[in-house]
RNA sequence: GGCCCCAUGGUGUAACCGGCUAACACGCAGCCCUCUCAAGGCUGAGAGCGCGGGUUCGAGUCCCGCUGGGGCUACCA
């Protein structure tokens, strides 16, 4: 409440937006919105080997799909840019020069091979594996000479000994490490690029980040970063480490558990709001946890870090699917139609002469039947593609009632003279027709359903007829006559 | 190996600073409704809170140990 809250989501463009990353972004976003603070997006692309621009776009698209808008970052800019680490080299260089001047860094000429044998040796002796500091004591003259000969080097931070590094984590409580276990960490790589831990700290300081909210896999990076804050004499932000998202086997969520990137869920037909709502509840619960369906505003109002749980959460597709269905059920037919359109457009016959009113009515019929948008493809395609074949079980049942074809012919006649072609009157008509014919209402209904859709399961028959309209209904039933059991 | 984090039904969570038949939701089973499928309504099974010790009149909640799971241990982020 004193200084304005500034948080950030800092993905590396080495892949699509992952559900774990999305959840971290979400918690940062909710925290910022709850406090009326600033949500910053920063792209950590210092790994030149693996970073790709296409992934940056994919990540931005993923965040946009989820509705997580950032106040500073790519595309929107802001007063603390640039927001790509590769464009912040000057800032890292300045920081490095200062630390170097203050004697807090030193040159290390160790090659990958010498480090490797050092580690092997340490492993054999069963001691902590860390850089032994052999280049710490190199004299100025030797350093200059070796640089002049073109020898490759990295810059390392001098790590204090026997110090306790601790902080009050907002979700985990007091955490403490001893500096003895910490390496003299590399700050600048031999290619001149800053390392992750260093760039993060320089940027978080430069961007005036007040709260670092990230996955708990970063807990062990925190003491290293705190040492960097100290070396830079910069004020420490608050840290909050949130639990990981796991697969069914409690291992970190990965491809073998199924879909891991957010766009895959979009493709599976999940609604972004439902997905976001579900994600918010993974590792967090509001004070009144009996309400699970939470709007954006409700999430903003209720989100606090002290209610974040401290253990990993298994991603449950069933519950996500349920929640998605709950959202769909609450849409108006027109809204649902709008969401469904991209999927419906994939059906070959779409829109098949239906006007928007009819389409909206049709969408409404699936509001309580479809759990994800993509299901509409297999459930409602027959509206647009007239059935050429009919469900075998359905035909069997039709055969059992006896005289189905004649019955159908009579019904067609009767429908021809029907008045209003809407569900109420149609149902009345069929009921009295069945009674007059001495037939079971259900038998007549099932026969019609089969003829109109080729299936045994559809939304209510009379609603379906109303959507199809008189012409289509009569035409389809007429053609069904030839396939209909006598 | 070392360091760190975690542990409530199958899953996500709740249970305020120790005091209830351990609650809610998903999933599951049954019943009802019904033209099918859904949706909806009702009912039910499912944890004694990882295990073992303490502390206390009383512990899922505090302490210790153990076990199990996870993370980190890079010139990757």
């Amino acid at each position: 409440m004193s200084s304005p809250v500034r948080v950030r989501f800092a993905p590396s463009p080495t892949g699509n937006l992952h559900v774990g990353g999305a959840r971290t972004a979400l918690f940062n976003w909710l925290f910022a919105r709850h406090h009326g603070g600033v949500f910053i997006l920063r792209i950590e692309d210092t790994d030149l080997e693996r970073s790709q621009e296409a992934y940056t776009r994919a990540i931005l698209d993923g965040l946009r799909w989820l509705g997580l808008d950032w106040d500073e970052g790519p595309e929107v800019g802001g007063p603390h840019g640039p927001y790509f680490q590769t464009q912040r080299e000057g800032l890292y260089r300045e920081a490095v020069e200062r630390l170097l001047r203050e004697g807090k860094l030193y040159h290390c000429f160790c090659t990958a091979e010498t480090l490797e044998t050092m580690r092997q040796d340490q492993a054999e002796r069963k001691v902590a594996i860390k850089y032994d500091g052999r280049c710490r004591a190199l004299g100025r003259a030797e350093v200059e000479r070796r640089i002049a000969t073109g020898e490759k080097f990295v810059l390392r931070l001098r790590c204090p000994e026997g110090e306790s590094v601790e902080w009050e984590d907002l979700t985990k409580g007091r955490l403490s490490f001893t500096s003895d276990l910490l390496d003299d960490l590399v700050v600048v790589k031999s290619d001149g690029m800053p390392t992750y831990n260093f760039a993060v700290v320089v940027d978080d300081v430069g961007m005036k980040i007040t709260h670092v909210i990230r996955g708990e896999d970063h807990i062990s990076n925190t003491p290293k970063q705190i040492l960097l804050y100290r070396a830079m004499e910069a004020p420490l932000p608050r840290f909050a480490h949130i639990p990981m998202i796991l697969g069914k086997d409690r291992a970190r969520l990965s491809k073998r558990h199924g879909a891991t990137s957010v766009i895959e869920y979009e493709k599976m037909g999940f609604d972004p709001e439902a997905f976001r709502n579900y994600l918010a509840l993974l590792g967090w619960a509001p004070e009144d946890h009996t309400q699970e369906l939470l709007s954006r505003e409700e999430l903003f109002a209720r989100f606090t870090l002290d209610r974040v749980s401290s253990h990993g959460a298994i991603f449950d597709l069933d519950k996500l699917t349920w929640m998605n269905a709950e959202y769909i059920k609450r849409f108006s037919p027109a809204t649902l139609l709008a969401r469904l359109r991209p999927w419906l457009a994939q059906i070959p016959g779409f829109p098949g002469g239906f006007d928007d009113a009819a389409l909206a009515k049709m969408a409404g019929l699936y509001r309580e039947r479809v759990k994800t948008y993509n299901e509409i493809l297999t459930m409602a395609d027959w509206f647009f593609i007239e059935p050429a074949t009919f469900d075998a079980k359905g035909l069997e049942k039709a055969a059992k009632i006896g005289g189905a074809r004649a019955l159908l012919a009579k019904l067609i006649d009767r429908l021809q003279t029907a008045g209003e072609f809407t569900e109420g009157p149609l149902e009345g008509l069929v009921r009295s027709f069945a009674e007059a014919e001495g037939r079971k209402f259900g038998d007549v209904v099932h026969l019609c359903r089969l003829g109109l859709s080729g299936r045994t399961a559809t939304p209510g028959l009379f609603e379906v007829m109303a959507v199809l309209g008189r012409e289509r209904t009569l035409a389809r039933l007429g053609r069904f006559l030839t396939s209909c059991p006598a």
Side-chain angles (χ1 to χ4, degrees):
Chain A
M1 46 178 70
S2 47
S3 61
V5 161
R6 293 178 59 84
V7 295
R8 99 280 122 126
F9 174 55
S12 304
T14 55
N16 288 315
L17 183 62
H18 204 266
V19 304
R23 209 269 245 98
T24 301
L26 174 61
F27 280 17
N28 273 282
W29 181 70
L30 292 176
F31 184 77
R33 296 293 173 261
H34 177 85
H35 291 284
V38 177
F39 176 54
I40 298 158
L41 178 61
R42 179 175 75 220
I43 305 298
E44 311 214 324
D45 53 355
T46 52
D47 183 348
L48 273 14
E49 305 273 301
R50 298 195 299 148
S51 295
Q52 283 180 33
E53 224 184 296
Y55 288 138
T56 298
R57 277 196 302 278
I59 289 167
L60 301 196
D61 286 344
L63 292 172
R64 269 190 284 262
W65 181 70
L66 279 171
L68 309 188
D69 54 320
W70 53 98
D71 308 304
E72 292 178 27
E75 297 182 4
V76 302
H80 302 278
Y83 295 92
F84 287 85
Q85 289 190 325
T86 45
Q87 292 167 25
R88 298 175 62 83
E89 271 184 276
L91 296 163
Y92 305 128
R93 192 165 307 127
E94 264 176 48
V96 166
E97 273 160 18
R98 203 186 119 200
L99 291 173
L100 216 42
R101 219 180 304 128
E102 292 169 349
K104 288 168 177 165
L105 303 182
Y106 65 91
H107 293 74
C108 169
F109 296 91
C110 294
T111 62
E113 297 75 57
T114 69
L115 292 176
E116 185 49 37
T117 57
M118 178 198 77
R119 287 187 190 117
Q120 270 172 20
D121 181 57
Q122 286 169 339
E124 273 163 35
R125 284 169 29 223
K126 295 198 181 213
V127 296
I129 292 172
K130 57 179 269 194
Y131 181 61
D132 59 11
R134 60 183 69 178
C135 287
R136 266 190 185 203
L138 258 31
R140 193 185 194 90
E142 181 178 357
V143 169
E144 312 257 288
R145 184 182 55 76
R146 292 173 77 169
I147 293 175
T149 62
E151 230 183 292
K152 292 265 193 197
F153 65 88
V154 300
L155 257 23
R156 287 182 185 271
L157 178 77
R158 278 181 215 281
C159 224
E161 266 165 53
E163 253 180 58
S164 168
V165 181
E166 38 183 59
W167 73 95
E168 191 69 32
D169 199 273
L170 262 21
T171 59
K172 298 274 187 188
R174 185 142 215 94
L175 259 26
S176 83
F177 289 76
T178 163
S179 66
D180 293 349
L181 279 336
L182 269 24
D183 269 299
D184 279 352
L185 73 161
V186 174
V187 152
V188 178
K189 305 186 242 182
S190 57
D191 65 359
M193 289 302 272
T195 55
Y196 164 73
N197 278 306
F198 181 60
V200 163
V201 174
V202 172
D203 291 343
D204 284 346
V205 170
M207 293 179 179
K208 301 189 162 29
I209 299 302
T210 57
H211 300 257
V212 173
I213 304 168
R214 65 206 339 180
E216 69 178 339
D217 48 336
H218 285 286
I219 287 180
S220 41
N221 280 324
T222 308
K224 301 175 195 175
Q225 294 176 190
I226 288 178
L227 254 24
L228 248 5
Y229 277 97
R230 286 187 192 164
M232 292 171 59
E233 289 160 5
L236 226 52
R238 304 302 306 270
F239 292 98
H241 289 93
I242 63 182
M244 314 251 79
I245 296 180
L246 316 171
K248 304 132 209 43
D249 57 359
R250 297 221 151 262
R252 189 197 204 122
L253 193 67
S254 70
K255 2 284 91 59
R256 76 199 153 77
H257 296 115
T260 53
S261 66
V262 166
I263 44 153
E264 291 176 82
Y265 288 90
E266 181 182 4
K267 286 184 187 145
M268 283 189 264
F270 285 96
D271 183 86
E273 258 192 89
F275 191 77
R276 184 222 269 154
N277 191 160
Y278 172 71
L279 232 41
L281 261 22
L282 260 192
W284 174 80
E287 213 175 306
D288 172 18
H289 74 289
T290 59
Q291 189 194 342
E292 300 197 304
L293 262 36
L294 297 157
S295 70
R296 208 178 109 98
E297 284 65 31
E298 287 169 323
L299 287 171
F300 290 170
R302 298 177 202 189
F303 187 82
T304 55
L305 288 172
D306 59 306
R307 296 200 58 87
V308 171
S309 75
S310 46
H311 56 271
I314 294 175
F315 190 88
D316 183 4
L317 191 62
D318 281 342
K319 182 135 189 187
L320 167 61
T321 304
W322 165 79
M323 187 163 281
N324 203 62
E326 290 299 309
Y327 271 79
I328 289 175
K329 276 187 275 188
R330 285 166 174 73
F331 288 140
S332 70
T335 305
L336 181 56
L337 173 62
R339 311 279 166 120
L340 246 22
R341 253 206 162 86
W343 274 270
L344 287 170
Q346 295 170 37
I347 300 172
F350 182 81
F354 289 98
D355 61 19
D356 279 7
L359 289 173
K361 188 165 169 64
M362 186 220 72
L365 300 184
Y366 285 95
R367 196 161 47 168
E368 287 171 349
R369 288 171 233 263
V370 116
K371 290 179 187 298
T372 51
Y373 296 142
N374 66 130
E375 287 177 343
I376 200 72
L377 288 178
T378 51
M379 292 185 81
D381 55 345
W382 55 271
F383 273 93
F384 310 100
I385 309 164
E386 183 170 337
T389 60
F390 300 88
D391 183 271
K393 284 225 165 70
L395 288 173
E396 254 174 61
K397 283 197 174 171
K400 267 192 210 149
I401 66 168
R405 190 178 297 159
L407 179 67
L408 184 61
K410 269 193 204 170
L411 179 64
I412 292 172
D413 268 359
R414 186 71 192 75
L415 283 171
Q416 224 111 35
T417 60
E420 217 189 321
F421 220 72
T422 55
E423 48 269 45
L426 283 168
E427 177 164 1
L429 182 153
V430 172
R431 277 193 192 278
S432 53
F433 171 80
E435 204 177 332
E437 293 298 316
R439 295 289 190 160
K440 279 198 254 172
F441 175 65
D443 287 345
V444 179
V445 167
H446 296 327
L447 187 63
C448 281
R449 166 173 291 116
L450 186 64
L452 292 175
S453 67
R455 317 181 169 211
T456 56
T458 72
L461 178 69
F462 306 107
E463 280 103 332
V464 163
M465 284 180 148
V467 169
L468 288 174
R470 188 191 307 264
E471 271 95 296
R472 250 182 299 247
T473 299
L474 288 170
R476 287 192 184 189
L477 289 180
R479 270 181 288 253
F480 178 48
L481 242 19
T482 56
S483 313
C484 182

